[in-house]
Amino acid sequence: MTAALRSNATPVLASLAKAEPFRSADEAWFWTMAALTARRDGARVVAGAGRAMRPCEPDDVVKCLDRLYRQRRIDLVHARIMRLWGERGVAPDPRHLAEKNDWRIWSEAMQRLEWPLRIKGIVAGASLGEPGEVVALPRRGAA
């Protein structure tokens, strides 16, 4: 008995050079929540089947969030606001009085999530291997 080859199968491990990183932690979080919601509703999440190839799986973003939680950089209030607004697919609007506090918590959480996602290459931007800006500081005692 021989196994039949599937001609329409997408390769599981595609080249990361083709992967398009997210522009921000917000964008990565909304994508993650959409994927997790689809998975919860019964969809099968398959690598390489989306509009743009991404450098991660939804679980990679959740692992970054979990690590921040374990380091006590993000607490349950942050996670609740991220889940609530992530399911809605929009960030809270600080111009609306009812959303102002949620926006503050959301912004804190996104700022704290941004760096770990940048280091992993999930969010575009400078990472550890890239040179940064050099700033000249005045010497001590110099006025």
Side-chain angles (χ1 to χ4, degrees), residues 6 35 38-39 41-47 49:
R6 295 188 316 183
R39 184 188 298 169
D41 293 342
R44 292 185 56 194
V45 179
V46 180

Side-chain angles (χ1 to χ4, degrees), residues 61-78:
V61 177
V62 172
K63 285 178 186 176
C64 286
L65 181 65
D66 183 55
R67 177 173 228 142
L68 289 171
Y69 177 75
R70 291 173 187 274
Q71 294 171 343
R72 297 177 189 237
R73 298 276 299 133
I74 289 202
D75 59 24
L76 290 177
V77 173
H78 292 102

